[in-house]
Amino acid sequence: MARYLASRLVSLLVSLAVASLVIFAVIEVIPGDTAAFMLGLNAQPDTVAALRAELGLDLPRSLRYLAWIGGMLTGDFGVSYTYRVPVAELISARLQVSLPLTLYALALSTAIAIPVGLIAAARRGRPADYAIMGVTQLGIAVPNFWFAMLLVALFAVTLRWFSAGGFPGWEAGLWAGLKALTLPAVALALPQASILARVMRSALIETLGQDYIRTARAKGLTEAQAIRAHAFRNALIPVMTILGLQFSFLLAGAIIIENVFFLPGLGRLIFQAITQRDLIVVESTVMLLVFAVILVTFLVDLAYAAIDPRLRR
Amino acid sequence: MLSIRDLSLEIAGTPILHGVSLDVAPGKVFGLVGESGSGKSMTALSVMRLLPQGARLRGRVSLGGTELTALDERQMCAVRGARVAMIFQEPMTALNPLRTIGEQVAETLVVHGAAPRGEAMRIAREKLDRVGLAADRFDLGRYPFELSGGQRQRVCIAMAIALRPAILIADEPTTALDVTTQAQILALLESLVREEGMGLMLITHDLAVVAGMADEVAVMREGRIVERGPTETLFRTRRHPYTRALLAASSHVPKRAALRSAGAPPVLEVEGAVRDYPLGRGAVFGARGHFRAVDGVSLAVGRGESVGLVGESGCGKSTLARAILGLEPLQVGAIRLEGAPVDAARGVPGALRAKMQVVFQDPFGSFNPRHRVARLVAEPFHLVGRPPDWRDRVAEALQAVGLKPADMEKFPHEFSGGQRQRIAIARAIVIRPRLVILDEAVSALDVSIRAQILELLADLQGRFGLSYLFISHDLAVVRAITDRVLVMRAGRIVEEGPTEAVFAAPRHGYTRQLLAATPRIPEDWLAEETRHGA
């Protein structure tokens, strides 16, 4: 176990180091001088030079890279060129929306997908299975913003159970915050749940074809008992992989849903930063997302080890 | 006791079994033999009622007075594992990899409500002891991946006997195991029958296994029992032509022309070959260990000669084969093919590779299913460039292995296992190699098909002057087709000599052990004059 953990940790650190270098290099080769851009077209060369010095842009690349990494490690992500506030503050404000939204959506999608996948696999080839496959096909095909609009039309406009958008902030209380995130989380969760349910179904069907399921049946287990005791945990392994990917996707990929519901999330922040050439914000959020992805991969690896004794030796 | 009467089975409209009747008595071994597809496993699964969807069963199956065919699925669950238990062929995959062996044995007791969990674990311990997995080495908390195939099969047996079922069905229980392990597992099963009064239905394709163990034997073919009787009588009389054919095929020795030209330089020479594999580090910064798969092996294969390489799984025979094929570098030693060095580290030129070809065990896995036979057989031509008459050469190779030139346009799935092995052989001989390595090339085949393939190999050897390196765990096959044999154990050659001499008077203890463990049909049972009507 210690060896597995150590090897996963080493791989995590190496991935982070490589990713940071790549991100830094890409930002470096993007044309356009940040200082010149901030000061506008009519800026004097000496003003630009002064701003470059202030921003540290005149230092050698290696030093700037180290300063960037050192800053991030101490929580100093630099100051946004356009907002003129520390990037760390910007990101943490947005994360307060995006992270709970992601977790909420993932929890919903898992809660829907696992039982649905189980039912479909247990009834494979029968009407319930066909119905589930049809519905999940639809869930994957229909874009999530369309669900979002339907949800708004039904629950916000007609039934008035939820507001149509906006986020009151967690200061308004946990309940108010969760309520505001419910419709977007459902809209995000439906396509993800459809994918996950299909993965769960096929993983479970594959597992049910394994020799050890036959052994379990020969011992006298009913099919339901065999699924519960032997197939379920084995089928979770591919499901964990997809869950990890979905987390990463939802964290930054919710931009359309954030726009539909007027949520101040991470996706919108990145979009705005890119359009405004606020490269320091782009650089930091991208690095943060990379960190989140790598961390989730690490957690998924740990989950594999928790499930599979062969990795724990 | 288990009694099957007029059992017929259809799956999705296809008839599988036709009026099968048999009895398994307590304390007795009933052997059910037949080739693949004969319906022997389906008979067992019909008793267990673990049939695929769309199966229709007719006839009667009674177990100690209970009519099993009248039971519903819930009632059957109470019977399975408690009154009739089953073990299967593939012990490597028969256990759930994520749960401990203790849990899996105890589960039999728990699902039948025979004992609460704690008590069930205690009984699981007893049962594991009973099957020879002692507590000091095989703790209940161990996982299947920590056990060998034979040990896993013991766990399966412990699981099956946990509730002392009246009947145990063993479906090819030792087919996937080495001979010495097979002998131990068979001895264990026999002791369970004799000591606990269990009835054993032993399903196997191996006539020698039933000859040594069964009290009564039934021979199955195409869903019917063609002959049934006490073991010795059945073997001695062989009333049914199919039984005769099966027995003849199992001991078939192909006629081979003596080709070996004395004094000629050998086709293949291996000198002091050593192949190490690095092991994972024990600790994060610990020293890396090595596993020596091949340890100082020297051998030579002469022109037109057949050399057998026998040994149990993990002895290094396949690693050696890969090294000879230039797929793995050696740490020490040299390999020469017709005098030219084969060195995987430096790359083997195509012209040299073209002089040796290989046929593997699995006739299903060794072809790309999307290519036609013509393309598959022509594959080795990429080593030397495809000649303009390549289609004729492919047709010729197909004819040489007993297929038709028209088969070129077919896909592999249109052929049976034996035919696919013929295609694999055609692929090997199409560029006229000097040496063909046959890596368990007949191990997956039924006896009658195996006899045909051995005959084909002997014929091709004479026609094309081929040298064979015949790698197998099956001593009977090696004895039938080789001139010389090498016995390999733990990376070393422990004994070497002319095949008949080694088999008749083995010198090394390990060879003797292997031969003793190999099941055999007593020779006087097969003597011609005892045959019915002869």
Side-chain angles (χ1 to χ4, degrees):
Chain A
M1 185 65 192
R3 268 188 56 206
Y4 177 75
L5 203 66
S7 81
R8 294 338 296 163
L9 264 174
V10 168
S11 130
L12 178 142
L13 293 175
V14 170
S15 312
L16 278 178
V18 171
S20 69
L21 271 172
V22 170
I23 291 166
F24 186 78
V26 168
I27 299 284
E28 282 294 301
V29 299
I30 289 177
D33 184 83
T34 310
F37 185 80
M38 285 169 73
L39 292 172
L41 288 174
N42 301 322
Q44 298 298 316
D46 56 332
T47 332
V48 174
L51 185 62
R52 284 179 62 85
E54 189 197 321
L55 293 172
L57 295 176
D58 55 345
L59 296 170
R61 282 189 177 149
S62 54
L63 278 182
R64 274 187 289 134
Y65 173 72
L66 289 177
W68 177 56
I69 294 291
M72 276 196 298
L73 290 176
T74 52
D76 175 14
F77 287 58
V79 176
S80 158
Y81 306 146
T82 47
Y83 294 92
R84 289 280 173 188
V85 290
V87 176
E89 271 176 35
L90 267 179
I91 292 179
S92 83
R94 299 307 183 99
L95 264 185
Q96 284 179 26
V97 178
S98 281
L99 194 60
L101 178 61
T102 300
L103 294 175
Y104 196 173
L106 268 192
L108 279 177
S109 108
T110 315
I112 298 168
I114 288 188
V116 167
L118 263 170
I119 292 168
R123 308 259 159 102
R124 60 197 171 281
R126 285 189 248 159
D129 182 26
Y130 289 123
I132 287 170
M133 292 305 279
V135 170
T136 51
Q137 182 72 63
L138 208 64
I140 295 169
V142 176
N144 58 13
F145 58 82
W146 179 252
F147 285 131
M149 282 147 64
L150 289 182
L151 290 170
V152 169
L154 180 63
F155 293 103
V157 179
T158 312
L159 295 173
R160 297 188 174 274
W161 291 355
F162 296 95
S163 64
F167 186 67
W170 296 106
E171 308 82 51
L174 181 67
W175 177 240
L178 280 182
K179 201 174 162 191
L181 292 183
T182 297
L183 289 187
V186 170
L188 284 174
L190 286 177
Q192 304 302 326
S194 301
I195 296 170
L196 205 59
R198 285 175 156 246
V199 172
M200 181 76 207
R201 173 186 177 273
S202 61
L204 204 57
I205 288 178
E206 202 197 316
T207 313
L208 285 172
Q210 297 290 319
D211 285 351
Y212 53 80
I213 298 298
R214 187 181 58 182
T215 307
R217 299 279 285 132
K219 274 200 268 188
L221 274 73
T222 61
E223 181 164 42
Q225 283 173 324
I227 291 177
R228 207 173 330 130
H230 295 281
F232 184 66
R233 244 173 83 186
N234 280 287
L236 276 184
I237 292 170
V239 172
M240 297 298 308
T241 312
I242 301 295
L243 261 180
L245 294 174
Q246 292 189 337
F247 176 87
S248 321
F249 168 75
L250 289 175
L251 193 58
I255 173 163
I256 298 178
I257 294 295
E258 286 170 11
N259 272 321
V260 171
F261 289 98
F262 309 108
L263 295 176
L266 213 50
R268 288 174 92 191
L269 175 68
I270 297 174
F271 182 71
Q272 285 158 357
I274 291 170
T275 50
Q276 290 160 0
R277 250 172 212 283
D278 197 343
L279 292 186
I280 188 127
V281 173
V282 175
E283 203 172 33
S284 305
T285 37
V286 170
M287 192 60 216
L288 184 88
L289 288 171
V290 167
F291 176 71
V293 171
I294 292 174
L295 185 70
V296 167
T297 310
F298 176 71
L299 294 177
V300 169
D301 283 342
L302 291 191
Y304 287 156
I307 294 174
D308 193 338
R310 285 167 291 191
L311 297 173
R312 266 181 267 153
R313 59 192 315 185
Chain B
M1 97 142 174
L2 177 73
S3 157
I4 300 177
R5 286 291 170 274
D6 290 322
L7 190 72
S8 294
L9 171 69
E10 269 181 25
I11 296 175
T14 311
I16 307 288
L17 300 176
H18 310 271
V20 171
S21 297
L22 56 87
D23 297 289
V24 185
K28 299 281 185 199
V29 179
F30 182 89
L32 189 57
V33 295
E35 298 189 290
S36 44
S38 63
K40 49 195 197 306
S41 293
M42 280 300 164
T43 306
L45 294 174
S46 301
V47 173
M48 298 296 283
R49 290 256 299 281
L50 288 174
L51 293 163
Q53 276 185 15
R56 275 192 52 215
L57 200 59
R58 273 173 297 126
R60 285 180 297 126
V61 179
S62 72
L63 176 69
T66 315
E67 181 53 42
L68 295 187
T69 49
L71 301 184
D72 63 22
E73 173 59 25
R74 270 181 60 99
Q75 291 167 316
M76 257 329 278
C77 281
V79 171
R80 286 185 206 122
R83 299 179 58 197
V84 47
M86 189 163 175
I87 58 171
F88 300 91
Q89 173 169 352
E90 202 34 85
M92 298 311 277
T93 51
L95 296 168
N96 184 344
L98 306 187
R99 300 188 59 196
T100 64
I101 57 172
E103 282 173 338
Q104 297 194 53
V105 176
E107 190 181 35
T108 307
L109 298 144
V110 176
V111 291
H112 288 283
R117 221 188 100 82
E119 174 70 3
M121 289 301 263
R122 196 189 57 73
I123 299 173
R125 179 68 269 157
E126 270 173 30
K127 296 295 172 185
L128 286 172
D129 288 336
R130 176 67 189 85
V131 299
L133 299 176
D136 54 339
R137 282 186 58 212
F138 301 98
D139 185 80
L140 290 177
R142 296 194 71 170
Y143 285 96
F145 73 89
E146 301 171 296
L147 273 54
S148 72
Q151 290 160 354
R152 291 186 208 193
Q153 194 61 294
R154 285 173 193 271
V155 175
C156 291
I157 294 172
M159 246 156 52
I161 61 164
L163 284 169
R164 301 172 137 269
I167 299 290
L168 174 64
I169 302 174
D171 188 358
E172 303 273 10
T174 57
T175 305
L177 303 175
D178 283 320
V179 276
T180 47
T181 316
Q182 160 166 292
Q184 292 161 5
I185 295 290
L186 292 177
L188 170 63
L189 287 173
E190 193 154 19
S191 80
L192 289 168
V193 171
R194 309 295 178 218
E195 289 162 27
E196 324 224 339
M198 203 171 62
L200 175 66
M201 180 161 146
L202 179 65
I203 296 173
T204 178
H205 69 285
D206 190 337
L207 294 158
V209 165
V210 287
M213 240 183 110
D215 299 288
E216 206 187 341
V217 175
V219 180
M220 262 192 113
R221 184 195 191 188
E222 290 168 3
R224 287 187 177 85
I225 289 184
V226 297
E227 186 168 3
R228 187 177 134 191
T231 309
E232 189 176 340
T233 320
L234 183 130
F235 276 85
R236 281 187 187 275
T237 56
R238 285 163 265 160
R239 272 170 220 281
H240 197 278
Y242 181 67
T243 311
R244 286 202 288 280
L246 214 51
L247 277 160
S250 73
S251 52
H252 181 76
V253 178
K255 285 199 179 54
R256 296 190 305 125
L259 277 167
R260 215 179 152 196
S261 37
V267 170
L268 172 74
E269 286 171 283
V270 178
E271 265 180 30
V274 171
R275 174 74 180 123
D276 280 335
Y277 288 109
L279 294 174
R281 292 171 207 276
V284 178
F285 296 104
R288 218 174 242 279
H290 285 273
F291 173 70
R292 186 154 286 192
V294 176
D295 188 4
V297 168
S298 298
L299 61 90
V301 180
R303 188 162 174 77
E305 191 185 26
S306 276
V307 174
L309 182 63
V310 299
E312 298 188 293
S313 44
C315 75
K317 54 191 195 301
S318 291
T319 307
L320 179 62
R322 283 201 301 274
I324 292 171
L325 287 165
L327 302 173
E328 298 229 10
L330 293 179
Q331 271 75 31
V332 181
I335 296 168
R336 280 186 298 277
L337 188 66
E338 292 203 315
V342 177
D343 185 351
R346 297 211 190 131
V348 183
L352 187 59
R353 270 194 205 281
K355 291 181 181 175
M356 55 186 170
Q357 290 293 309
V358 64
V359 178
F360 293 108
Q361 172 171 359
D362 184 1
F364 293 91
S366 45
F367 296 113
N368 183 334
R370 283 173 193 80
H371 289 179
R372 287 177 200 275
V373 169
R375 182 165 173 191
L376 294 169
V377 173
E379 259 171 339
F381 282 131
H382 80 267
L383 294 167
V384 288
R386 197 144 79 176
D389 64 338
W390 70 276
R391 290 189 72 89
D392 298 335
R393 302 267 301 267
V394 168
E396 196 187 336
L398 287 174
Q399 270 177 322
V401 299
L403 295 172
K404 290 189 293 292
D407 291 331
M408 285 206 318
E409 298 313 315
K410 294 188 183 164
F411 287 98
H413 71 259
E414 298 174 61
F415 297 91
S416 69
Q419 286 173 323
R420 284 186 218 200
Q421 208 60 331
R422 286 175 189 268
I423 298 172
I425 294 169
R427 174 168 65 181
I429 61 165
V430 75
I431 46 169
R432 299 287 164 81
R434 299 282 184 273
L435 173 72
V436 178
I437 297 181
L438 300 151
D439 191 354
E440 302 279 8
V442 297
S443 301
L445 305 174
D446 279 320
V447 280
S448 55
I449 309 293
R450 189 173 71 191
Q452 291 164 16
I453 297 289
L454 289 178
E455 194 65 47
L456 170 68
L457 289 171
D459 169 52
L460 293 173
Q461 183 166 40
R463 266 205 271 170
F464 299 112
L466 298 171
S467 302
Y468 289 150
L469 181 62
F470 202 100
I471 299 172
S472 183
H473 70 281
D474 187 334
L475 300 173
V477 168
V478 169
R479 189 171 193 173
I481 194 153
T482 64
D483 305 302
R484 261 188 322 122
V485 66
L486 302 138
V487 182
M488 195 166 179
R489 184 193 197 183
R492 291 170 177 274
I493 303 291
V494 297
E495 180 160 2
E496 168 175 11
T499 305
E500 268 319 304
V502 170
F503 278 79
R507 291 189 312 274
H508 194 275
Y510 179 66
T511 316
R512 281 200 287 272
Q513 201 184 322
L514 276 183
L515 283 167
T518 306
R520 218 170 315 180
I521 305 170
E523 288 196 7
D524 61 314
W525 289 13
L526 296 177
E528 201 58 19
E529 59 270 26
T530 60
R531 213 181 84 196
H532 175 77

